[in-house]
């Protein structure tokens, strides 16, 4: 099923995929900056949405796609983390109970309203209003879709961000991973942790035994994506360790790194931001500790030829 509402055709038309009975992924090509995936589960009384989208136009298209599947209302919205590509559209679901980790709420409020230039190319955000979760948890919560159990769990440490949660449907072996997993895109750890991301994938995500994974960005996939991401993370750890020992700055390290098997991953400039995070941890920073985000972003822009990072949202 393909949705083309509101003329969203670039970089590609969003599509709905039924990954299990009544469980749907909403995939937005091409999964680059600010172009995320969402999902929804349909029950007899209503719909549970996993995340929203970055712009008003994209979120309205998503809700129209839900409406093509069912006329039942979206009663519950789960946010997997605070980043705006997964949360800026929350306000378009005023009748839904918005659920998220405590730090997801505080981080949405801290980040504030969307912005683009000079960091990203111009985006038409629409009339965004901040709508953070107002039902929060520390460890997790169970959401029921009729008698289908959905386990919403904070992963326990910083990884992609400080507040990542997964949505696991054990009866169906379906996992909504949020941005712990990118399929075809470069992982992004600038606001999270390299060590934490490795720990979470090895000890939390992999042991679930998921058969179907809806990643935060990129096509629906299987469990092999976990090892794909781990390979990049171990590569990043080796690269950071060697470059730090050689006295290279994160930017110089990024410039000199041969990405090899990872060269085709989208948004390759994230390497610079990831190295800033990895260097901080090599210097003893705890997972999720504050770093100079603007310096890291500046190095990504430099690595991108001095141009704002390309965003097609």
């Amino acid at each position: 099923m393909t949705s083309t509402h509101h003329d969203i055709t670039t970089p590609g038309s969003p599509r709905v995929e039924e990954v299990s009975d009544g469980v749907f992924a909403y995939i937005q090509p091409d999964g680059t900056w600010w172009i995320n995936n969402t999902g929804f589960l349909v029950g007899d009384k209503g719909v549970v949405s996993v995340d929203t989208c970055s712009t008003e136009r994209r979120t309205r298209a998503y809700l129209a796609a839900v409406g093509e599947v069912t006329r039942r209302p979206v009663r519950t919205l789960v946010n997997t983390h605070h980043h705006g590509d997964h949360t800026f559209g929350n306000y378009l679901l005023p009748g839904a109970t918005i659920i998220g980790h405590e730090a997801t709420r505080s981080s949405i409020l801290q980040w504030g309203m969307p912005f683009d230039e000079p960091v990203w190319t111009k985006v038409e955000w629409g009339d965004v209003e901040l709508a953070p979760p107002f039902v929060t948890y520390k460890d997790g919560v169970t959401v029921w879709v009729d008698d289908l159990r959905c386990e919403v769990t904070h992963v326990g440490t910083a990884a992609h961000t400080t507040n990542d949660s997964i949505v696991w449907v054990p009866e169906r072996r379906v996992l909504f991973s949020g941005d712990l997993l990118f399929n075809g895109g470069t992982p992004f750890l600038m606001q999270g942790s390299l060590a934490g991301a490795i720990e979470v994938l090895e000890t939390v995500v992999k042991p679930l035994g998921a058969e179907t994974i809806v990643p935060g960005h990129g096509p629906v996939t299987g469990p092999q994506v976990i090892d794909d991401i781990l390979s990049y993370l171990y590569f990043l750890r080796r690269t950071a360790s060697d470059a730090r020992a050689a006295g290279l700055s994160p930017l110089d390290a990024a410039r000199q790194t041969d990405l090899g098997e990872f060269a085709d991953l989208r948004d390759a400039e994230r390497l610079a931001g990831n190295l800033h995070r990895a260097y901080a941890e090599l210097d003893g920073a705890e997972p999720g500790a504050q770093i100079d985000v603007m310096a890291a972003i500046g190095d990504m822009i430099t690595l991108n030829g001095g141009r704002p990072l390309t965003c097609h949202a």
Side-chain angles (χ1 to χ4, degrees):
M1 181 185 300
T2 301
S3 173
T4 57
H5 294 277
H6 302 276
D7 299 321
I8 296 178
T9 57
T10 55
S13 298
R15 62 185 182 272
V16 174
E17 298 182 22
E18 188 167 15
V19 297
S20 185
D21 185 24
V23 181
F24 299 85
Y26 183 75
I27 306 301
Q28 296 194 95
D30 58 353
T32 51
W33 288 110
W34 296 96
I35 302 177
N36 69 311
N37 296 332
T38 62
F40 59 100
L41 302 91
V42 179
D44 288 340
K45 298 296 180 65
V47 175
V48 174
S49 178
V50 181
D51 288 330
T52 54
C53 306
S54 57
T55 69
E56 177 178 351
R57 184 173 68 111
R58 286 186 174 273
T59 301
R60 289 193 186 280
Y62 165 57
L63 296 178
V66 174
E68 290 181 350
V69 174
T70 177
R71 294 185 178 181
R72 300 178 182 97
V74 178
R75 300 173 63 197
T76 308
L77 168 59
V78 178
N79 285 148
T80 58
H81 62 292
H82 76 280
H83 283 164
D85 50 340
H86 297 258
T87 62
F88 280 149
N90 285 3
Y91 74 103
L92 292 173
L93 287 167
T97 299
I98 308 176
I99 298 172
H101 188 262
E102 289 184 349
T104 298
R105 175 182 172 83
S106 59
S107 296
I108 287 173
L109 294 172
Q110 182 179 15
W111 181 271
M113 296 293 286
F115 61 90
D116 38 57
E117 296 174 328
V119 177
W120 291 278
T121 52
K122 188 66 177 174
V123 176
E124 294 298 328
W125 300 104
D127 296 324
V128 172
E129 302 172 16
L130 294 185
F134 55 87
V135 176
T136 61
Y137 52 83
K138 291 183 178 179
D139 300 315
V141 66
T142 301
V143 176
W144 293 88
V145 182
D146 301 335
D147 59 354
L148 184 64
R149 182 185 185 94
C150 304
E151 298 174 357
V152 182
T153 306
H154 179 248
V155 296
T157 186
H160 171 63
T161 68
T162 60
N163 56 93
D164 301 298
S165 293
I166 56 176
V167 181
W168 169 235
V169 189
E171 182 180 323
R172 308 291 182 80
R173 318 308 295 173
V174 172
L175 175 67
F176 292 88
S177 71
D179 284 359
L180 295 171
L181 297 171
F182 289 74
N183 185 12
T186 302
F188 194 43
L189 310 170
M190 188 180 70
Q191 290 188 298
S193 169
L194 172 55
I198 292 172
E199 176 186 344
V200 166
L201 293 185
E202 292 280 19
T203 67
V204 178
V205 174
K206 187 181 286 190
L208 290 174
E211 296 175 0
T212 303
I213 295 175
V214 182
H217 298 254
V220 174
T221 186
Q224 71 278 0
V225 73
I226 303 170
D227 286 330
D228 292 344
I229 297 300
L230 281 168
S231 293
Y232 177 89
L233 298 180
Y234 287 124
F235 163 80
L236 176 63
R237 187 168 69 179
R238 293 191 301 271
T239 298
S241 179
D242 292 346
R244 192 79 171 97
L248 296 176
S249 69
L251 176 59
D252 287 339
R255 283 171 162 161
Q256 296 182 28
T257 295
D258 179 0
L259 289 171
E261 65 182 293
F262 309 109
D264 291 334
L265 294 180
R266 295 182 294 269
D267 302 319
E269 67 273 5
R270 290 176 182 166
L271 175 63
N274 290 338
L275 285 169
H276 272 265
R277 173 57 61 183
Y279 272 38
E281 292 181 6
L282 287 171
D283 290 340
E286 292 296 319
Q290 289 289 327
I291 65 171
D292 189 340
V293 168
M294 294 314 298
I297 290 174
D299 282 354
M300 288 194 294
I301 292 171
T302 300
L303 198 61
N304 193 48
R307 302 179 303 273
L309 309 179
T310 301
C311 179
H312 297 292

